[in-house]
Amino acid sequence: MPRLIGQTIMLREYQAEDISAICAWVNDESTTRYLSTRYWPPQTMVDTQEFLSRMLQSSHNAYNFVIADRETARYIGQLDMFRVDWRLRQGEIGMVIADAGERGRGIGTEALLLMQRFAFRTLGLERLELEVHMQNAAALRCYEKAGFTLEGVKRHAFFSDGQFCDVGMMSILRHEFEQRTADHSNA
């Protein structure tokens, strides 16, 4: 799998050494609070090892990347295109910035833009989509900044903090990505 290099980060392959960094966040409620139920604590060491083992295997229907520091390759988080529908030319993604100290610095937006370039220009996809917890204001801002549009809301589709919550469906299309890229290069 190629490494996708940005200005401050890179998207790289998972490595066995990432286990300790992943273990550091998978049971942290502030990090997993808005993530899908596959990350609900408690996550045992075996759960985390099995996850990493799956990520170390290649697949033609998924593209799994670690978000890493460009200079040191240090694990920061992950951005996975965990489902690709080749017939419809679309992919579904999920992202986590593992360390709270790394959030709010533009890392997520940069990672999403790298993924978009890969998905649209290398893989030839037409659409990328994701789900977002509607109370996760920081994630909504990040996704909008990266060009994603809110398409709709699934009401009471997630349970968090003792209550049912809404989940938004967001997407970006290839021509929207290309237009944004052209606009930024002309600015």
Side-chain angles (χ1 to χ4, degrees):
M1 179 167 334
R3 287 187 171 192
L4 311 177
I5 308 297
Q7 291 187 354
T8 62
I9 62 152
M10 72 168 109
L11 298 182
R12 65 160 171 82
E13 71 287 352
Y14 280 81
Q15 299 170 354
E17 299 80 29
D18 295 327
I19 189 76
S20 61
I22 296 170
C23 284
W25 69 264
V26 293
N27 288 308
D28 175 44
E29 193 271 335
S30 69
T31 303
T32 61
R33 177 179 187 193
Y34 298 123
L35 298 182
S36 77
T37 56
R38 75 179 62 133
Y39 294 110
W40 276 6
Q43 293 283 315
T44 66
M45 177 59 88
V46 171
D47 293 332
T48 304
Q49 288 170 329
E50 287 174 356
F51 168 80
L52 184 57
S53 179
R54 285 191 309 276
M55 295 301 105
L56 292 172
Q57 299 172 24
S58 66
S59 168
H60 297 292
N61 293 316
Y63 293 88
N64 302 305
F65 292 98
V66 163
I67 302 168
D69 179 88
R70 179 182 169 159
E71 301 303 318
T72 65
R74 176 185 57 84
Y75 177 103
I76 296 172
Q78 51 203 60
L79 175 55
D80 300 311
M81 189 181 325
F82 54 86
R83 185 185 58 79
V84 177
D85 184 325
W86 290 108
R87 188 167 119 339
L88 298 177
R89 311 295 294 172
Q90 61 189 17
E92 187 172 355
I93 62 174
M95 179 173 68
V96 63
I97 305 298
D99 181 350
E102 299 285 1
R103 297 180 200 140
R105 297 182 42 225
I107 290 170
T109 301
E110 184 177 354
L112 289 166
L113 295 173
L114 288 170
M115 177 65 87
Q116 289 170 18
R117 185 178 330 127
F118 176 70
F120 296 132
R121 293 187 176 164
T122 302
L123 301 179
L125 299 185
E126 176 61 18
R127 170 188 169 90
L128 282 178
E129 64 184 40
L130 56 85
E131 289 186 347
V132 60
H133 189 295
M134 293 303 291
Q135 293 178 346
N136 190 347
L140 282 164
R141 277 192 310 276
C142 174
Y143 299 144
E144 288 170 351
K145 193 173 173 184
F148 284 82
T149 300
L150 182 65
E151 294 183 326
V153 176
K154 297 190 296 185
R155 299 177 306 145
H156 288 210
F158 194 79
F159 191 77
S160 178
D161 298 330
Q163 63 185 357
F164 284 97
C165 310
D166 297 342
V167 173
M169 178 60 99
M170 300 183 81
S171 72
I172 186 168
L173 304 177
R174 178 201 313 246
H175 78 272
E176 295 165 340
F177 165 76
E178 295 297 349
Q179 183 63 51
R180 286 174 54 85
T181 303
D183 290 348
H184 288 304
S185 65
N186 292 332

